[in-house]
């Protein structure tokens, strides 16, 4: 528990206990905070999960993306045919969404930098979704510090790259963040280089796993040619499932940048759903045979 | 702290199919509802009637005394946890147990914050086949975030210091509470829930605005707690949950000054529920009908 990077942040929480210490209690096995590896094992032992690797260098807007996603869901927005059906990390989601919520004092801010002292496995945020047919999907998002990916670019097997390597080997789908603020300013050269390099690392052994490119902070205009360069680089070798999305925490009148966040998750779910094999037809199947029709 | 459970003998319990557990935070209106419901059940004039009077009805008597004086009843002490099991039957003679707990609503907050349930709660959850969750819509804090209110300029945002004072949004609080209760009952969340059946009771309906009162209870819940609404619709099977409105007293009473109209007409003349279709029903005992039929 103490290894969890979010745990200490919650020590101001008033916990009233009127009961004497020897009383019997049912303890709830999930903390509500972002999960670690043990919790993931617990979750994946009961139902198959979709692990979505949220990747990109520091300050690219990864945590803000996740916080905005949660804010949209808690306002009742669906993801395609799916809607919110619970979460075992509600405190984790609410904590990052809290920064993007207005309080009595009108203070609102972007979530603080995700700290990089968290070790080998990223903070994991869980989400249950259910579609209109009653089919459930368990999604888990990685909330990792950008420094992991910077280290991963330099040395894939380096000591500081274990977290990024873990995400790369376990994720079912990836979102790669390209920061439009950097790409439109003096940081263009370095930012473009890093996006391409993280993209190259992800593409290694990517197979059919979807890779979505997220143009974050898209309310800041970026030259089309720069975006095309990056997009072309990523697709210089074929990617089975690739799409890009222009997103931002700020909506403007023409562009629903926030809703593109939902679209990116919808696209991942769709790409993964079509990979499921169709139920094979048996050779002896005959519609006139009532017994076989029952299959 | 008193730990007492007054309940019927087991042989009586085994004849019944329904045990209803009432769940609600502080100030959600459980106490007034209990008094009014007990009054109606024991009058034996409504759809549901009480079968035999329990040994200890002090928790209802205190409330009914106050209401008969035209005053509101006091707040249940935080640590109190008594339960009175009322054995009731409908017009067809079908029996149920309505387990009316009398506890400080703060206990509900403590369960979510401390992430554990004591033995009394565990027993109540195990026994129950239906849950009534009381939520007071006029007391909910609306969510105001970047989805429904635009962000200020980046220069202003960047100057901000880390903000403190995190707390759960109301929607997330109730979702977590229901997730915990389902876990305590030993139910997974991969299958749709049928038992316990769930009724969300939007209490103090009379305090909603006149525009809001024209809406269906489910639309009020969807508008005020969209995340909770999504969760319930996803987790419970369609015919296993209902969302109703409730006004136990039809009006707000003062704890000190008598309301003469209330005294003259008597508590039984006040209170109504708004059923799922939006119709006003004077028979408060119908609030438990969705569990039984």
């Amino acid at each position: 528990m103490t290894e969890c990077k979010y745990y200490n942040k919650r020590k101001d929480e008033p916990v009233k206990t009127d009961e004497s210490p020897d009383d019997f209690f049912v303890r709830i096995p999930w903390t509500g905070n972002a999960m670690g590896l043990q919790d993931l094992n617990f979750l994946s032992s009961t139902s198959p999960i979709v692990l979505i690797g949220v990747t990109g260098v520091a300050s690219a807007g990864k945590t803000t993306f996740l916080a905005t996603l949660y804010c949209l869901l808690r306002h009742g927005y669906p993801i395609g045919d799916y809607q919110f059906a619970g979460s075992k990390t509600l405190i984790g989601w609410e904590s990052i969404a809290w920064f993007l919520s207005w309080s009595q004092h009108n203070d609102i801010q972007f979530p603080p930098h995700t700290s990089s002292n968290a070790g080998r496995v990223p903070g994991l945020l869980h989400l249950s979704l259910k579609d209109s047919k009653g089919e459930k999907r368990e999604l888990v998002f990685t909330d990792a510090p950008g420094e992991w990916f910077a280290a991963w670019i330099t040395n894939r097997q380096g000591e500081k790259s274990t977290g990024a390597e873990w995400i790369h080997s376990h994720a079912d789908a990836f979102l790669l963040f390209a920061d439009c603020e950097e790409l439109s300013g003096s940081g263009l050269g370095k930012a473009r280089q890093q996006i391409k390099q993280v993209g190259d690392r992800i593409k290694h052994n990517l197979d059919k796993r979807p890779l979505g490119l997220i143009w974050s902070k898209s309310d800041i205009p970026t030259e089309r040619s720069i975006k095309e360069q990056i997009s072309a680089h990523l697709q210089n070798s074929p990617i089975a499932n690739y799409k890009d999305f222009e997103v931002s925490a700020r909506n403007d009148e023409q562009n629903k940048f926030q809703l593109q966040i939902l679209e990116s998750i919808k696209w991942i779910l769709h790409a993964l759903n079509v990979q499921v094999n169709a139920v094979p037809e048996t050779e002896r199947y005959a519609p006139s045979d009532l017994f076989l029709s029952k299959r | 702290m008193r730990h007492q459970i007054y309940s019927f003998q087991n042989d009586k319990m085994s004849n019944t199919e329904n045990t209803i557990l009432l769940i609600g935070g502080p100030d959600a209106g459980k106490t007034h509802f209990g008094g009014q419901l007990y009054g109606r059940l024991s009058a034996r004039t409504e759809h549901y009637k009480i079968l035999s009077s329990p040994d200890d009805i002090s928790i209802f008597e205190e409330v009914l005394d106050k209401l008969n004086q035209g005053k509101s009843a006091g707040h249940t002490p935080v640590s109190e946890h008594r339960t009175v099991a009322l054995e009731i039957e409908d017009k067809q003679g079908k029996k149920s147990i309505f387990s009316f707990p009398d506890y400080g609503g703060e206990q509900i907050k403590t369960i979510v914050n401390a992430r554990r349930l004591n033995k009394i709660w565990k027993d109540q959850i195990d026994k129950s086949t239906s849950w009534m969750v009381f939520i007071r819509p006029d007391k909910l804090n609306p969510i105001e975030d970047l989805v429904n209110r635009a962000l200020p300029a980046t220069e202003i945002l960047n100057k901000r210091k880390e903000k403190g004072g995190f707390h759960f949004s109301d929607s997330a609080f109730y979702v977590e509470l229901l997730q915990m209760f389902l876990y305590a009952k030993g139910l997974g969340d991969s299958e749709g829930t049928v038992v316990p059946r769930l009724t969300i009771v939007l209490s103090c309906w009379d305090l909603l605005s006149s525009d809001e009162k024209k809406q269906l209870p489910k639309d009020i819940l969807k508008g005020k707690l969209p995340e909770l609404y999504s969760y319930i619709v996803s987790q419970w099977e369609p015919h296993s949950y209902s969302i109703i409105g409730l006004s136990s007293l039809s009006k707000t009473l003062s704890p000190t000054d008598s309301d003469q109209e209330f005294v003259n007409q008597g508590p039984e003349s006040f209170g109504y529920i708004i059923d799922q279709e939006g119709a006003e029903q004077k028979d408060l005992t119908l609030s438990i009908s969705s569990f039984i039929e």
Side-chain angles (χ1 to χ4, degrees):
Chain A
M1 183 86 113
T2 49
E3 286 170 11
C4 175
K5 61 182 173 174
Y6 295 101
Y7 183 68
N8 287 332
K9 289 184 184 172
R10 304 251 319 140
K11 62 187 169 196
D12 54 333
E13 187 73 37
V15 177
K16 274 190 278 175
T17 48
D18 303 329
E19 299 84 358
S20 58
D22 57 352
D23 266 358
F24 166 88
F25 288 107
V26 175
R27 283 177 197 284
I28 304 301
W30 66 93
T31 66
N33 293 301
M35 290 179 164
L37 198 53
Q38 291 301 320
D39 309 299
L40 188 67
N41 289 339
F42 162 70
L43 192 68
S44 60
S45 66
T46 52
S47 39
I49 58 162
V50 175
L51 185 69
I52 299 177
V54 179
T55 66
V57 294
S59 303
K62 299 184 293 298
T63 305
T64 298
F65 175 94
L66 292 170
T68 310
L69 168 67
Y70 175 73
C71 287
L72 288 160
L73 290 168
R74 76 175 174 184
H75 277 281
Y77 284 84
I79 296 178
D81 192 28
Y82 290 92
Q83 64 176 335
F84 176 81
S87 165
K88 295 290 187 282
T89 58
L90 276 175
I91 295 174
W93 287 113
E94 288 269 321
S95 302
I96 55 171
W98 172 247
F99 291 101
L100 296 172
S101 307
W102 296 83
S103 68
Q104 288 162 341
H105 308 296
N106 273 347
D107 53 342
I108 188 164
Q109 61 175 102
F110 288 116
H113 179 68
T114 307
S115 70
S116 57
N117 57 7
R120 303 163 63 88
V121 179
L124 300 167
L125 290 163
H126 166 247
L127 195 61
S128 291
L129 296 175
K130 197 171 191 181
D131 70 8
S132 56
K133 294 189 283 290
E135 191 100 359
K136 252 188 151 181
R137 298 306 296 252
E138 306 293 338
L139 270 52
V140 174
F141 295 86
T142 66
D143 185 18
E147 286 80 1
W148 287 9
F149 301 101
W152 194 43
I153 293 171
T154 315
N155 179 3
R156 198 161 71 87
Q157 300 298 343
E159 198 183 327
K160 291 178 180 165
S161 306
T162 48
E165 266 297 287
W166 186 90
I167 292 173
H168 185 244
S169 53
H170 290 88
D172 299 291
F174 297 93
L175 294 173
L176 170 60
F177 278 68
D179 181 347
C180 290
E181 189 179 16
E182 291 294 315
L183 293 173
S184 63
S186 56
L188 164 65
K190 190 180 178 197
R192 183 176 53 203
Q193 180 72 1
Q194 285 182 322
I195 296 161
K196 289 178 178 175
Q197 287 173 320
V198 177
D200 288 342
R201 288 279 191 233
I202 292 173
K203 279 171 67 182
H204 179 71
N205 286 339
L206 181 63
D207 199 16
K208 284 185 180 169
R209 295 184 286 176
L211 167 58
L213 179 62
I214 301 293
W215 301 105
S216 62
K217 310 174 198 176
S218 275
D219 55 303
I220 300 166
T222 308
E223 277 195 41
R224 176 79 13 215
S225 60
I226 294 169
K227 287 187 169 180
E228 282 168 2
Q229 277 175 15
I230 294 170
S231 233
H233 176 87
L234 289 175
Q235 296 178 88
N236 61 9
S237 59
I239 303 178
N241 289 295
Y242 173 82
K243 198 171 177 185
D244 65 343
F245 300 88
E246 295 185 331
V247 315
S248 175
R250 291 175 193 282
N251 273 333
D252 71 8
E253 305 230 328
Q254 292 87 39
N255 296 295
K256 300 293 180 204
F257 290 129
Q258 289 180 357
L259 296 184
Q260 283 299 302
I261 292 173
L262 301 173
E263 285 298 311
S264 66
I265 309 302
K266 179 182 160 190
W267 171 75
I268 286 177
L269 287 170
H270 178 74
L272 293 172
N273 281 348
V274 295
Q275 288 176 24
V276 176
N277 291 337
V279 179
E281 283 193 31
T282 51
E283 280 180 20
R284 292 178 62 195
Y285 175 79
S288 56
D289 186 324
L290 281 175
F291 178 69
L292 279 177
S293 294
K294 276 185 126 179
R295 289 175 67 89
Chain B
M1 174 180 171
R2 280 188 278 176
H3 279 207
Q4 291 168 285
I5 296 191
Y6 303 103
S7 74
F8 284 88
Q9 290 160 1
N10 283 335
D11 58 338
K12 280 194 180 172
M13 295 283 278
S14 60
N15 291 333
T16 57
E17 290 168 21
N18 299 286
T19 300
I20 302 162
L21 173 63
L22 194 151
I23 303 157
D27 217 11
K30 300 182 299 295
T31 306
H32 283 144
F33 173 73
Q36 285 285 65
L37 183 72
Y38 180 75
R40 300 291 217 282
L41 290 169
S42 50
R44 298 181 58 84
T45 53
E46 310 281 13
H47 188 82
Y48 294 96
K49 312 176 186 53
I50 200 155
L51 270 177
S52 59
S53 202
D55 295 342
D56 184 343
I57 55 164
S58 55
I59 62 174
F60 302 122
E61 286 295 301
E62 291 159 18
V63 182
L64 282 174
D65 277 356
K66 285 281 187 187
L67 294 181
N68 275 306
Q69 297 168 43
K71 295 176 185 172
S72 66
H75 182 75
T76 311
V78 176
S79 60
E80 193 106 320
H81 200 141
R82 293 178 291 175
T83 305
V84 180
L86 302 174
E87 197 184 20
I88 56 178
E89 67 173 1
D90 67 6
K91 286 181 173 164
Q92 284 76 44
K94 190 169 182 186
K95 297 178 181 61
S96 302
I97 298 278
F98 186 87
S99 173
F100 186 84
D102 187 38
Y103 53 85
E106 289 82 358
Q107 288 188 23
I108 295 291
K109 290 192 167 176
T110 305
I111 287 171
V112 173
N113 289 334
R115 316 194 66 75
R116 59 183 196 177
L117 298 117
N118 66 19
K119 188 164 180 10
I120 301 176
W121 276 103
K122 169 69 175 154
D123 288 345
Q124 294 285 316
I125 290 168
D126 282 345
K127 267 191 239 163
S128 60
T129 55
S130 305
W131 296 345
M132 276 182 113
V133 179
F134 273 56
I135 297 174
R136 221 181 127 164
D138 67 303
K139 285 277 178 83
L140 297 172
N141 298 309
I143 294 175
E144 208 176 16
D145 59 25
L146 80 172
V147 174
N148 55 357
R149 184 172 161 189
L151 289 168
T154 305
E155 305 82 70
I156 298 172
L157 279 174
N158 289 342
K159 284 182 198 152
R160 293 276 160 80
K161 298 275 187 291
E162 185 158 338
K163 66 191 255 182
F166 165 81
H167 65 264
F168 259 132
S169 64
D170 290 326
S171 240
F173 174 87
Y174 285 110
V175 172
E176 190 74 317
L177 180 73
L178 288 173
Q179 290 188 146
M180 286 179 173
F181 273 41
L182 282 177
Y183 170 80
K185 200 163 173 61
L187 295 170
D189 41 24
S190 52
E191 297 294 320
T193 305
V194 176
V195 174
R197 295 172 72 110
L198 177 71
T199 291
I200 299 291
V201 179
L202 300 174
S203 58
C204 302
W205 187 267
D206 55 296
L207 294 178
L208 291 176
S209 70
S210 50
D211 280 348
E212 288 173 326
K213 281 185 209 167
K214 289 177 194 151
Q215 298 179 41
L216 291 176
K218 80 169 167 73
D219 292 328
I220 294 288
L221 185 69
K222 196 175 179 179
K224 289 190 180 275
L225 300 172
E227 187 181 17
L228 175 65
Y229 181 80
S230 288
Y231 173 72
I232 291 169
V233 170
S234 303
Q235 184 59 45
W236 266 267
E237 291 295 322
H239 299 293
S240 300
Y241 70 89
S242 60
I243 299 157
I244 62 170
L246 165 76
S247 172
S248 295
L249 309 177
S250 301
K251 54 158 76 178
T252 306
L253 297 180
S254 149
T256 48
D257 302 322
S258 288
D259 182 305
Q260 204 52 46
E261 187 196 10
F262 210 89
V263 177
N264 292 347
Q265 296 183 31
E268 62 281 6
S269 308
F270 294 87
Y272 56 87
I273 62 166
I274 305 292
D275 66 20
Q276 294 201 81
E277 287 75 38
E280 187 175 315
Q281 307 275 2
K282 282 279 176 198
D283 182 353
L284 284 185
T285 70
L286 290 175
S287 58
I288 53 181
S289 65
S290 59
F291 299 132
I292 294 165
E293 278 153 17

